[in-house]
């Protein structure tokens, strides 16, 4: 449904943590007014937390579909079909359905919706909760070129989104979808190293986390290749190159590459079930 002045109201089918993060980002960035956001959930606790953002909440999925132009499907994968059945009669070609349900393919989504429904599938990650999402976005068969731009722009209020072919979303899952866990492990291990070297746990953890944040910001903000930035820190015969040698000896790069491939392969397997 397109509302006045060409502005589309946004709806969320499901009001869990990811939906609340996205809604909060859209509102706080000024992308949309809180009065133009509708959300549903069968659990009162989730509705209460979503309502704290100042949006309209309801138990009815159909009510969300009747009032919103852009509709985020933010429920668990097993609940997607039931939720979409409750909204199908309310949808028109003016609606854009954006799914963030893991593993639910565009073909499956389109089969659950009226023919010609515009669909965009998103693979986000949990840092959306702190406005630092890294997401892959793929368009369905009926989606318009501008639909991808719209979704990428919306997700940009809580981080970064990249348009990819749907066939690449399993790779996105293995990299950025599962990647936060790899980062958490790295931070934990670095902190353990700091403790082993004599630092207190609190100091070691804060320094490790800030170090990883700083390294990521340097890659993103300088535009330099991480290898170049690494070389800038590694002075001849110094401490850093000694540490890098230890990482290389223990297969650090291969372990990360294998982790991405294992998660990507598993995503493909789950998508076939």
């Amino acid at each position: 449904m397109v509302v006045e002045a060409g502005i589309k109201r946004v709806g969320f089918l499901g009001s869990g943590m990811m939906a609340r993060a996205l809604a909060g980002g859209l509102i706080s960035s000024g992308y949309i007014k809180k009065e133009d956001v509708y959300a549903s959930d069968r659990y009162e606790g989730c509705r209460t937390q979503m309502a704290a953002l100042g949006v309209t909440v309801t138990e009815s999925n159909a009510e969300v579909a009747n009032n919103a132009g852009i509709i985020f499907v933010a429920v668990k994968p097993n609940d997607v079909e039931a939720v979409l059945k409750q909204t199908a009669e309310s949808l028109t070609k003016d609606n854009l359905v954006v799914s963030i349900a893991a593993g639910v393919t565009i073909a499956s989504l389109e089969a659950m919706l009226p023919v010609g429904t515009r669909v965009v599938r998103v693979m986000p990650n949990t840092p959306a909760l702190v406005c630092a999402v890294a997401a892959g976005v793929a368009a369905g068969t009926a989606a318009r070129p501008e639909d991808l731009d719209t979704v990428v722009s919306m997700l940009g209020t809580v981080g970064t989104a990249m348009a990819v072919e749907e066939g690449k979303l399993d790779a996105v899952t293995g990299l950025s979808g599962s990647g936060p866990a790899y980062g958490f492990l790295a931070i934990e291990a670095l902190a353990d190293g700091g403790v082993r070297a004599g630092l207190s746990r609190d100091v070691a953890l804060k320094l490790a986390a800030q170090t990883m944040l700083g390294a990521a910001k340097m890659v993103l903000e300088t535009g330099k290749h991480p290898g170049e930035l690494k070389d800038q820190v590694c002075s001849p015969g110094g401490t850093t190159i000694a540490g890098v040698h230890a990482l290389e000896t223990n297969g650090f790069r291969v372990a990360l590459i294998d982790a991405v491939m294992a998660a990507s392969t598993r995503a493909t397997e789950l998508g076939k079930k």
Side-chain angles (χ1 to χ4, degrees):
M1 153 184 281
V2 181
V3 297
E4 60 184 0
I7 298 173
K8 289 184 178 292
R9 291 177 177 152
V10 176
F12 290 89
L13 303 177
S15 298
M17 289 191 297
M18 192 68 73
R20 295 197 298 273
L22 291 172
L26 290 170
I27 294 167
S28 63
S29 68
Y31 189 97
I32 197 167
K33 296 178 180 179
K34 60 186 178 182
E35 294 84 2
D36 289 326
V37 179
Y38 292 75
S40 61
D41 204 284
R42 60 183 173 179
Y43 296 110
E44 183 179 358
C46 289
R47 294 197 304 273
T48 299
Q49 292 181 69
M50 182 65 96
L53 297 175
V55 309
T56 301
V57 297
T58 175
E59 289 185 66
S60 171
N61 294 316
E63 183 178 346
V64 171
N66 282 326
N67 284 282
I70 301 174
I71 301 168
F72 281 84
V73 182
V75 296
K76 294 180 180 179
N78 291 340
D79 295 329
V80 170
E81 184 170 9
V83 166
L84 291 184
K85 281 184 178 179
Q86 295 169 11
T87 62
E89 292 184 359
S90 302
L91 298 176
T92 72
K93 291 183 180 180
D94 286 330
N95 290 107
L96 173 60
V97 176
V98 183
S99 173
I100 62 172
V104 183
T105 66
I106 288 173
S108 296
L109 292 163
E110 290 179 341
M112 300 173 194
L113 292 163
V115 175
T117 300
R118 293 150 54 208
V119 173
V120 170
R121 180 184 168 195
V122 176
M123 180 61 226
N125 62 7
T126 56
L129 302 176
V130 291
C131 292
V133 75
V137 181
T141 58
R144 302 167 185 166
E146 61 267 27
D147 290 338
L148 270 182
D149 294 338
T150 295
V151 175
V152 168
S153 177
M154 294 177 78
L155 292 172
T157 66
V158 288
T160 299
M162 309 290 289
V164 299
E165 298 175 358
E166 187 185 21
K168 304 297 185 185
L169 283 182
D170 288 341
V172 172
T173 299
L175 177 57
S176 56
S178 301
Y182 316 152
F184 298 146
L185 280 173
I187 291 169
E188 182 183 31
L190 284 170
D192 285 345
V195 172
R196 178 69 179 82
L199 297 174
S200 70
R201 172 65 61 183
D202 181 59
V203 168
L205 185 57
K206 288 180 180 177
L207 287 177
Q210 182 62 34
T211 298
M212 291 297 95
L213 175 62
K217 285 175 68 68
M218 287 189 71
V219 171
L220 292 172
E221 294 181 10
T222 67
K224 293 181 178 179
H225 190 279
E228 179 183 355
L229 293 171
K230 178 262 297 178
D231 288 348
Q232 291 176 0
V233 188
C234 293
S235 56
T239 60
T240 305
I241 193 61
V244 168
H245 178 260
L247 289 174
E248 297 286 15
T249 300
N250 287 279
F252 181 70
R253 291 174 188 260
V254 173
L256 286 175
I257 293 170
D258 284 351
V260 173
M261 289 304 301
S264 177
T265 298
R266 183 56 177 158
T268 301
E269 293 171 350
L270 291 174
K272 292 178 180 178
K273 291 184 177 180

